[in-house]
Each structure stands twice: as structure tokens, then as C-alpha cells.
Amino acid sequence: MKAISVLGSTGSIGTQTLEIVEEFPQQFRVVGLTASRNLTLLVNQIQKHCPEAVALADEDLLPDLKLRLDTLSNERNLKKYPELFGGAEGLNHVASLDHADLVVTGIVGCAGLLPALAAIRAGKDLALANKETLIAAAPVFLPELKRSGSRLLPADSEHSAIFQCLQGTPWAENARLSTGIPTPGLRRIQLTASGGAFRDWSIKDLERATVSDATSHPNWSMGKKITVDSATLMNKGLEVIEAHYLFGLDYNQIEIIIHPQSIIHSMIELADSSVLAQLGWPDMKLPILYCMSWPSRFETPWRRLDLTEVGKLTFLSPDNQKYPCMELAYAAGKVGGTMPAVLNAANEEAVAQFLNEKIHFLDIPKVIEESCEKHKNDFQDNPTLEEVLSVDAWSRKFVKEIVSKGTSLLKG
Ligand code: NAD
Ligand code: MG
């Protein structure tokens, strides 16, 4: 039985991971959970999964959590009282529990970086959903992975598709370690993108895009931040950088292709021009399960793919003018070093400002570009963890300043 810790257990990735554990009680058990603020759901998860340890990012809520668990315990509605932790130290502790075999990283944003590093340093295998962590800190993250021998299993559906396709090649061993070493014989990666909420909108129509428009995804049900990232296509840009670091390909070997049905989850082209793809309904449970069951495959009762029901699979080139975030991500990825951390942090802050209705949807790429441009003066090629954290903080602050000043940038 595999022991799992779930970071960000109350989110979209976290809850789906726990659903898988419930479906396979003989294979998996939960030892650790972390969450930010949703105590009602967290308490429910603690009752169901009886973890050893639980951490709350927001330390101030610990007394409330304890009170709720005490009440349940007195009513004999709690089978096991977990050890409780709070704050950054607490998250790191739960990410590195002795008994855990695999840590699923479902925290959103760069907030997941330190717990993910703690898990690696403790030698845990990682099911990586939290792509922002790798994108911001690959120069720190990848050498740590190598040192610890932890395995990085991609939970992002596109990277899982690539990973799954690579299992059938002679380089599976190399690819599975995912430490940015070039995979020989892998000539090209094609990342598929649904096109997000505004796929069928014209550029002109984007001027009237609202928060509610941007947070309705046509194919996937996900957290708010990644749903907005899908609408700007920054999510795909971030995934290009993620693919670069995971599979070691140059940026000119990684392409984005719009595939509105989200049935093909990505493709690889091999040296002999053969193209391999992985297909399935758009459902994150499959890539998450594969991280958990790898290298095995479990029998599931899940809805089986019927291509006659889908009817047709279509493909389009993405429109760079409509989705400027893609090019910003390629550019930051090519620069490398601290630039992806700045891009990522600027994007996180810009999306937060957009969700709070402080900036318009079309301002998101503008503030990110400004932040990356400004960072060129302080760029570092091979940063330490402290330097990554410092540029991350700088970039968020810089975006906040642009927004609070309401500069001409946001009016043009
Ligand atoms: P979500 O918003 O639904 O959940 C985020 C989780 O992180 C919650 O449990 C929340 O409590 C926790 N959290 C939030 N802020 C935190 C903080 N500062 N410190 C500690 N914990 C915090 O997000 P999601 O959609 O589940 O996405 C999680 C990650 O997985 C993201 O990096 C996203 O890019 C990636 N991902 C998600 C999907 C998906 O289908 N949802 C698909 C691919 C990749
Ligand atoms: Mg994805």
C-alpha cells in the first residue's frame, strides 16, 4: 500500500486525488494533508482519511481547526486525531513525513515551492501538479532532485501524456527521472490547448471580457487561477517551460497547438518521424492516478473514450496576437535563470488583481511584460533559492505598484 501526502488537499487537484484514494482503498492510504482556509472540507477529509498529520498554511485558523476536531472527538466521530501544524514550517513538515511514499503537490502558485523542496529533500517521490514551483525554481529544484534521487512524476495532463508516450520508447528510464536531461530521439513535443474560455471570441470582443467570462472553462473544471491562465493561454506558456525542464528539449522543439475537444492530451514526435499521442476524456483523475500507480496501470470503471461520440478532432495554430502571454512565456523560458520566476510571479499577481477587478483582462500580459522587461537589469543566470524567492517577491511588488499607480500602461 502506498502512503500519500496531499498538499493543497481542499483544491481541485487535492480533492480529485482523495477521490482516487477512496476508489482504491487497497492501494493507497493518506498520511498527510495540507490546506489553506477551507476548514469545513478539511475536517471532512480528516474524518474520512485519518491522516497522521495535517498542516494549515494560515496558522491563525489552527485554534478553530482544533476546536472542531475536539468536538468531533468528544462525540466519537473522529477515528484518529492527527498531529496539527501551522504556517510554512508546518507545511514543510507534512510534505516530508517519514511514512509518506508519494507527495501530490496541489498547492496553487509559487506558495508550493518550499513544501515541494522539503518533500524532495526528504527523498519523497513527487506527483507534480503545481507547475509554478518548477517554472520559478528549476535551477534550484532540478539539482536537488538529482541529489535526492526523488522521482518527479508529471500530473499536468499534457506532461503526463508525454510521459505516458515515452514509456513506449527506449528512453523511458531517462524520461521518467524528468530531471531536464535531454531525451535522445525525442524530436518534438506538441502541447495541446483547449483555447480556454475565449477560444471563440474575437480580439475585439476581449475588450469586454469580465471575471465571470474568464473563469468559465469550456472543457475542464479547475481552480480559478489556472482557469484564468487558460483563458490568457499563459497556462500553455507555463507548460512550455514546464516541458522544457521536465524533458530537456529546446524551446524550438516545443509547440502549442489548439485542439478544442481536449481529447488528445499532447503528442511527441520521435527521430524517425513517428508521432505518438495519448487520448482520453478531459478528466484530471487519469493523469493523477497514473502518477500514483506508475509504473503500473490500475483497472478503473471510468467512462471509456468513444471517438464516434466525439465525432471529430480538430487542430488550429494559436493566434499570437490574441494570446500575447504565450510569447512572453517562450521569451522568459529562453532567457532562463530568474526570468521564468519573474514571469510566473507577475502572472500570479496580475491574475489576482484581475480576479479582484483591479485590472482588465487585457492588462494581464501588459504588466507581465513590463515586469520581465524591468528584471533584465537584475537577471541572474544560476540563482540560489534565496535569489529565486527574492525576485518572486520583487515581481509581485512591482505589479502591485503598477496597478496602484494606474500607470499609462494600463490605459493604452
Ligand atoms: P485550487 O485553487 O483549486 O486549490 C489550491 C489548493 O492550494 C487549495 O487546497 C488551497 O487551500 C491551497 N493553497 C492556496 N494558497 C495557498 C498558500 N498560500 N499556501 C498553502 N496552500 C495554499 O487549485 P488547483 O486548480 O487544484 O491547482 C493546483 C495546482 O495544480 C496549480 O499549480 C495548477 O496549475 C495545477 N494544475 C491544476 C489542474 C486542475 O485541473 N485543477 C490541472 C493541471 C495543473
Ligand atoms: Mg495542463
Side-chain angles (χ1 to χ4, degrees):
M1 196 185 257
K2 209 175 256 183
I4 313 268
S5 288
V6 187
L7 311 182
S9 67
T10 52
S12 160
I13 291 291
T15 50
Q16 293 183 83
T17 305
L18 293 177
E19 281 172 30
I20 295 172
V21 172
E22 282 166 46
E23 281 190 55
F24 297 95
Q26 306 300 324
Q27 273 82 15
F28 306 118
R29 69 189 177 96
V30 173
V31 289
L33 296 175
T34 82
S36 176
R37 306 192 55 86
N38 188 344
L39 291 192
T40 304
L41 180 55
L42 179 64
V43 166
N44 196 293
Q45 294 176 340
I46 294 171
Q47 277 185 292
K48 228 183 233 167
H49 293 280
C50 307
E52 282 172 19
V54 172
L56 268 182
D58 190 339
E59 216 158 352
D60 295 346
L61 296 177
L62 263 183
D64 191 357
L65 175 63
K66 195 162 175 332
L67 194 68
R68 293 183 194 214
L69 294 180
D70 287 344
T71 308
L72 286 174
S73 186
N74 291 336
E75 294 166 349
R76 298 183 185 283
N77 281 326
L78 190 66
K79 279 188 233 134
K80 179 174 174 167
Y81 203 113
E83 272 197 275
L84 301 182
F85 300 90
E89 282 297 310
L91 291 189
N92 292 350
H93 179 79
V94 172
S96 51
L97 293 175
D98 281 349
H99 292 140
D101 301 307
L102 177 77
V103 175
V104 180
T105 68
I107 292 177
V108 59
C110 209
L113 170 57
L114 295 179
L117 271 178
I120 294 177
R121 287 172 180 167
K124 307 298 168 192
D125 286 347
L126 228 57
L128 183 84
N130 175 217
K131 66 193 95 186
E132 295 94 337
T133 279
L134 178 67
I135 289 154
V140 178
F141 207 78
L142 295 178
E144 292 263 9
L145 260 182
K146 220 175 197 168
R147 263 196 293 280
S148 75
S150 297
R151 285 179 298 219
L152 192 54
L153 298 146
D156 213 350
S157 59
E158 297 74 6
H159 306 76
S160 173
I162 295 161
F163 182 59
Q164 292 183 54
C165 292
L166 284 170
Q167 305 297 307
T169 71
W171 318 292
E173 183 68 17
N174 181 2
R176 90 169 189 211
L177 291 172
S178 299
T179 48
I181 303 160
T183 308
L186 176 58
R187 192 151 78 178
R188 182 167 58 141
I189 284 175
Q190 284 186 306
L191 294 173
T192 50
S194 67
F198 300 127
R199 182 182 62 207
D200 303 322
W201 289 44
S202 68
I203 301 185
K204 185 84 192 121
D205 287 346
L206 288 181
E207 287 170 14
R208 55 172 180 81
T210 64
V211 169
S212 136
D213 294 327
T215 46
S216 331
H217 197 284
N219 301 355
W220 301 90
S221 155
M222 310 181 285
K224 266 193 181 161
K225 188 255 177 189
I226 185 173
T227 306
V228 175
D229 285 351
S230 300
T232 58
L233 247 73
M234 179 54 98
N235 183 48
K236 214 47 56 178
L238 295 177
E239 290 180 354
V240 166
I241 304 175
E242 185 183 10
H244 166 78
Y245 286 131
L246 285 176
F247 304 108
L249 261 61
D250 284 341
Y251 284 96
N252 61 12
Q253 295 173 286
I254 306 171
E255 290 173 7
I256 296 173
I257 175 169
I258 305 279
H259 167 44
Q261 297 81 16
S262 296
I263 296 293
I264 294 184
H265 297 310
S266 277
M267 295 174 262
I268 60 169
E269 182 188 310
L270 302 173
D272 60 3
S273 81
S274 180
V275 173
L276 307 184
Q278 186 261 334
L279 283 73
W281 296 116
D283 184 343
M284 280 306 292
K285 272 168 80 176
L286 187 55
I288 299 171
L289 172 65
Y290 190 61
C291 288
M292 294 163 73
S293 70
W294 179 89
S296 299
R297 288 202 180 257
F298 292 175
E299 178 82 32
T300 75
W302 298 345
R303 182 179 169 215
R304 292 162 70 185
L305 180 62
D306 178 357
L307 284 177
T308 62
E309 197 180 313
V310 183
K312 60 181 178 185
L313 302 180
T314 56
F315 307 93
L316 294 159
S317 294
D319 179 342
N320 282 325
Q321 251 188 314
K322 183 170 160 189
Y323 299 114
C325 284
M326 270 185 319
E327 283 204 333
L328 294 175
Y330 268 104
K334 284 178 189 164
V335 173
T338 43
M339 198 55 94
V342 167
L343 171 98
N344 176 67
N347 179 57
E348 282 190 34
E349 188 56 42
V351 170
Q353 298 282 351
F354 167 67
L355 288 171
N356 286 331
E357 299 187 321
K358 299 281 189 249
I359 60 172
H360 188 267
F361 181 76
L362 292 173
D363 294 329
I364 296 174
K366 292 185 200 164
V367 296
I368 299 168
E369 185 173 11
E370 195 69 9
S371 197
C372 291
E373 198 52 44
K374 184 94 178 163
H375 180 62
K376 281 183 180 159
N377 305 327
D378 303 312
F379 165 76
Q380 289 167 72
D381 196 24
N382 196 16
T384 61
L385 176 60
E386 288 64 36
E387 286 163 344
V388 169
L389 295 174
S390 150
V391 299
D392 173 280
W394 169 82
S395 183
R396 286 165 205 269
K397 193 164 145 261
F398 183 71
V399 170
K400 275 193 193 119
E401 275 167 18
I402 297 179
V403 175
S404 69
K405 281 186 201 145
T407 61
S408 55
L409 173 79
L410 302 180
K411 294 173 193 121

